[in-house]
Amino acid sequence: MARTKQDILQELKEQQVRFLRLQFTDILGINKVVELPVNQFEKALDGEIMFDGSSIEGFGRREVEESDMLLKPDYNTFVVYPSDLEPSTKGAVARLICDIAYPDGKPFEGDPRQALKRQIERAQKKGFDNLYVGSEVEFFLFNRSPEGGPTTHTYDRAGYFDLAPTDKGEEARRDMVDMLVRMGLQLEAAHHEGAPGQHEIDLKYTDALQAADNLTTLKFVVKRVAINHGLHATFMPKPIAGINGSGLHFHLSLFKNGENAFYEPKGKLEAWPHQLSKTALQFIAGLFEHAEGMAAITNPLVNSYKRLTPGYEAPTSVAWSVSHRSAMIRVPKRRGVGTRAEFRFPDPSCNPYLALAAILGAGLEGIENNLTPPPPIERDVYELSVRDRRKYRVSEMPGTLREALEALQKNRVIRAALGEQIYKDFLHAKQVEWNSYRIAVHQWELDQYLAEY
């Protein structure tokens, strides 16, 4: 049931909340907050709190007189933080996630959350209820230095699904799960991942906007609880060479009239023998067609492409399968309401609002243009011959951020899904990042060349 202003005011009073945080994200997906005292609560709920957008990434490259922005709260995102989340804070703290608007109330076209809302509205105009998304989120927990800074030193040598005493991060991960559940998120599982110090938390499927909101909440909670345990949590895709990196696997399905539109119970020939509907195949074909163009959005860091190398359970080719995990898109075996496509390429450094906007935009484009994917691959993609790669239309994903940005510039579908302002601001920020990396002298170069030349 939708919350009202009066509901929230009553709960703020009953819970004796002393601070209210208005949260939003910049185009890079970094959580930002404006924290308010009690006397500003009602003004905040009326969407009258203004902030200077000129210093926020993606919000500020405009005329000075246009830099003021309004925070418009989504009442359904209201939550009071558990008191032990931030033990040093005196008094209860609550949070609302906000959309960004101009001072006249007009939605700000550079707001990542509203980019996703535009694509959801597009899907609904085509008769779909929503895109439903489940998320598998991987991250690392590292020790902190004596000075309190982050390190890449792991505290365990555990592996996939290992349990204590080998998995020394179990207590921290359990506290993260407990905190998220107490904040209203529905989780499916949590476990140690394949690399030392690596963990995974799986969020239950929900509508796309709530899924993105939940991911921003999870990132904050994981980092905060790690600090409480004297650890550092990072969603950096590949913090250590030679071991698996961290991915963000999205499980995707469109619903229509309350039913999963990806499921075809009769298993018609046009849907292959896998009980996948025409809608599912068209959506997969849209992802297939625009995967390279969205790579910079779903994998936005220079470091993202260190993860995407063969041999570390991360996809590097545009391919799909109904079984094999080496493919970029995999269709798990469950059918009925659980029929879905697992998109395995993204990593957790992405802005979830922009990533899901790009994914939904690509999938809808596949449906609108009646695209058809090639046959699914049922063996290791890395071992395909040149002939088989042609048969299954397998192509390579971008190998660097620069290649990904070039693909984004050529892809009008993904640019349209983002909106022109977000596209331009994102491209500018990432070109600056790439050039900074390109001109830096790295330790590898010194090790390789300093003595030799």
Side-chain angles (χ1 to χ4, degrees), residues 165-330:
T166 309
D167 177 5
K168 296 179 182 178
E170 182 186 357
E171 184 178 344
R173 191 179 66 239
R174 185 186 295 122
D175 283 353
M176 293 167 187
V177 169
D178 177 62
M179 202 70 68
L180 290 166
V181 170
R182 287 157 62 191
M183 291 175 66
L185 277 68
Q186 294 192 53
L187 276 57
E188 291 202 326
H191 58 83
H192 199 288
E193 254 297 334
Q198 189 180 34
H199 300 263
E200 176 177 310
I201 296 177
D202 300 340
L203 297 172
K204 185 177 181 179
Y205 76 92
T206 186
D207 67 83
L209 186 63
Q210 187 175 20
D213 288 342
N214 288 348
L215 282 167
T216 67
T217 301
L218 180 144
K219 286 184 176 183
F220 166 70
V221 169
V222 165
K223 283 183 169 291
R224 181 66 250 182
V225 173
I227 290 172
N228 295 346
H229 283 264
L231 300 170
H232 174 70
T234 182
F235 296 94
M236 180 180 176
K238 187 85 168 184
I240 301 176
I243 62 175
N244 289 357
S246 292
L248 170 58
H249 301 169
F250 287 122
H251 292 254
L252 310 163
S253 53
L254 283 169
F255 272 62
K256 191 171 188 176
N257 300 322
E259 297 186 353
N260 191 326
F262 279 11
Y263 178 51
E264 174 49 71
K266 296 179 182 178
K268 296 177 182 177
L269 290 178
E270 65 173 0
W272 309 96
H274 306 299
Q275 293 185 307
L276 295 176
S277 69
K278 186 176 182 181
T279 296
L281 292 169
Q282 292 169 337
F283 192 95
I284 289 170
L287 295 181
F288 206 93
E289 184 76 13
H290 300 289
E292 294 172 47
M294 75 171 81
I297 306 300
T298 58
N299 304 73
L301 304 185
V302 167
N303 181 257
S304 295
Y305 299 86
K306 307 293 177 72
R307 164 184 169 252
L308 301 171
T309 54
Y312 296 101
E313 298 184 16
T316 60
S317 304
V318 182
W320 78 287
S321 174
V322 293
S323 61
H324 211 285
R325 293 178 182 272
S326 64
M328 182 184 71
I329 303 166
R330 186 180 76 96

